[in-house]
Amino acid sequence: MNYKLETIQCNICGADDTHKVTDKGQHSLPLNVVLCKACGLGYLNPRWDADGYLDFYKNQYDNYYRPDIKKEKKVSTKENPILSRLKERNLLGTDVKHILDIGSGAGDNLLDLGKAFPEAKLNAIEPSQESQVILKKNGIQVLSDDVNSNWDEALTDKFGVIIMRHVLEHFLDPLLALKRIRETLSDTGILYIAVPNNLNPIQSLEKSWFRVVHTYYFNKYSLANILRLAGLEEIEIVEGDRHNNGEVFLMARRSKEIVKPNISQDHYTEQRAVFERVQKEQSSLVYGLKNKISKVKRRFF
Ligand SMILES: [Zn+2]
């Protein structure tokens, strides 16, 4: 993977003044995690360019992250976290006719949502070729393999629900993508986004949390800001629940008025302190030992 590198500015505030967090990440793939000193957004810089990422997602991603994709799946009886989070908040509208899942994978979440809206048409944007085969087999329309393409131009229907589960942190230009997505949301439509919560990283930073495919590292502050910049209005931003303690998720709708983002160095200070505390904890001997013991346990019990 000798992809070309590119350097970028902060996607939220446009600044180019960063603190380097680490160059160590999952699978020993080289990366550069930085924090914007002006607003606290985490991102990779420099990073692979768009061609590099597109190639990685088409040809490598499933090998690294979805090795079981070809196996027949057992039907899951567990409640779907997206569905129950929306239901608990009375955010499942009644007249949803079109649903879009961006970064749908093989479509498990779409099919679960489809059960709540049997009449709704299910749509996906998904780069993986293998996932696309499964999506089509299940009657799901694949709009595009690339969220940065002009998939929205030919659309006539607006979406009542758009879900983006652990995808925003993979985008090359999340703000631009959200602006485009906003235009495809119906007036009463709900946008659901979930990403890893960088104010509560629950895995090894070096072995799992920092990834070459995670181009952005969000928290509740940067999510609130990017929504505002994209013309979206948060309904609720939630840091962790019984389904997943290490993610932050939100529900948003189209906003009617422009609200300025809240750019603050305090957000940078807070995010940097969390990374430094966790780095220190995880470099300790006790953490290393605990990790080894739990690995051995998993193997034998
Ligand atoms: Zn910034």
Side-chain angles (χ1 to χ4, degrees):
M1 276 169 288
N2 254 336
Y3 299 135
K4 252 191 257 163
L5 294 178
E6 65 178 7
T7 53
I8 53 161
Q9 292 170 332
C10 177
N11 195 248
I12 286 180
C13 75
D16 188 16
D17 184 14
T18 59
H19 163 77
K20 181 163 177 169
V21 177
T22 186
D23 55 10
K24 293 193 177 67
Q26 196 188 34
H27 301 309
S28 302
L29 293 168
L31 48 64
N32 306 284
V33 181
V34 301
L35 282 179
C36 173
K37 287 184 185 173
C39 77
L41 177 66
Y43 57 104
L44 298 186
N45 194 30
R47 66 179 188 197
W48 292 339
D49 70 4
D51 288 344
Y53 274 109
L54 202 59
D55 182 83
F56 185 85
Y57 281 111
K58 279 191 174 165
N59 302 309
Q60 306 277 349
Y61 187 77
D62 286 346
N63 297 336
Y64 277 100
Y65 291 100
R66 295 196 281 237
D68 295 335
I69 198 163
K70 282 182 195 157
K71 287 187 196 155
E72 277 299 318
K73 281 208 193 83
K74 285 183 210 141
V75 178
S76 170
T77 49
K78 270 199 240 160
E79 62 173 335
N80 183 300
I82 302 175
L83 207 51
S84 64
R85 285 168 174 172
L86 292 174
K87 257 189 213 159
E88 279 164 20
R89 293 168 175 85
N90 283 325
L91 290 172
L92 273 184
T94 45
D95 60 342
V96 173
K97 295 186 183 71
H98 305 273
I99 301 174
L100 171 63
D101 189 347
I102 300 175
S104 63
D108 296 359
N109 287 319
L110 264 180
L111 293 176
D112 279 346
L113 252 79
K115 283 180 212 150
F117 303 103
E119 304 298 316
K121 290 202 178 99
L122 307 180
N123 300 271
I125 295 176
E126 171 55 47
S128 152
Q129 308 292 299
E130 286 175 24
S131 291
Q132 283 191 19
V133 173
I134 300 169
L135 289 165
K136 286 172 190 165
K137 208 166 72 184
N138 285 317
I140 295 165
Q141 191 181 358
V142 179
L143 296 181
S144 174
D145 61 0
D146 181 7
V147 74
N148 298 310
S149 69
N150 296 329
W151 55 272
D152 53 325
E153 279 178 3
L155 283 178
T156 48
D157 303 308
K158 305 259 179 192
F159 298 107
V161 179
I162 299 180
I163 54 180
M164 298 167 64
R165 187 197 163 273
H166 290 233
V167 287
L168 194 69
E169 71 273 25
H170 292 251
F171 286 1
L172 297 185
D173 191 339
L175 178 56
L176 185 69
L178 284 177
K179 284 178 179 169
R180 192 193 287 267
I181 288 159
R182 177 197 188 271
E183 298 308 310
T184 70
L185 203 56
S186 75
D187 287 340
T188 54
I190 298 292
L191 171 65
Y192 169 93
I193 296 176
V195 296
N197 183 5
N198 287 284
L199 292 177
N200 186 29
I202 52 167
Q203 298 160 334
S204 162
L205 293 179
E206 283 182 14
K207 291 197 170 65
S208 184
W209 196 262
F210 294 133
R211 312 179 173 190
V212 73
V213 290
H214 286 180
T215 40
Y216 289 92
Y217 297 83
F218 291 102
N219 57 35
K220 59 185 174 186
Y221 308 118
S222 46
L223 284 175
N225 280 338
I226 203 167
L227 285 180
R228 288 179 179 188
L229 288 163
L232 292 154
E233 175 186 63
E234 71 180 71
I235 300 166
E236 197 180 349
I237 297 183
V238 186
E239 289 185 282
D241 65 0
R242 66 194 159 88
H243 297 290
N244 188 336
N245 194 30
E247 71 180 6
V248 51
F249 63 94
L250 66 87
M251 284 68 56
R253 57 167 76 96
R254 293 170 69 114
S255 63
K256 293 188 177 67
E257 57 200 52
I258 296 165
V259 185
K260 272 195 180 163
N262 172 21
I263 305 295
S264 164
Q265 275 189 341
D266 294 347
H267 302 157
Y268 159 67
T269 310
E270 187 176 337
Q271 181 61 74
R272 181 174 165 176
V274 168
F275 282 152
E276 286 179 350
R277 172 178 54 78
V278 177
Q279 276 172 327
K280 208 171 150 198
E281 283 167 11
Q282 295 186 348
S283 65
S284 77
L285 202 60
V286 178
Y287 180 83
L289 273 175
K290 268 192 193 159
N291 222 2
K292 277 210 180 91
I293 291 167
S294 70
K295 261 187 200 153
V296 172
K297 272 189 181 164
R298 253 179 278 147
R299 191 174 306 158
F300 290 106
F301 301 104

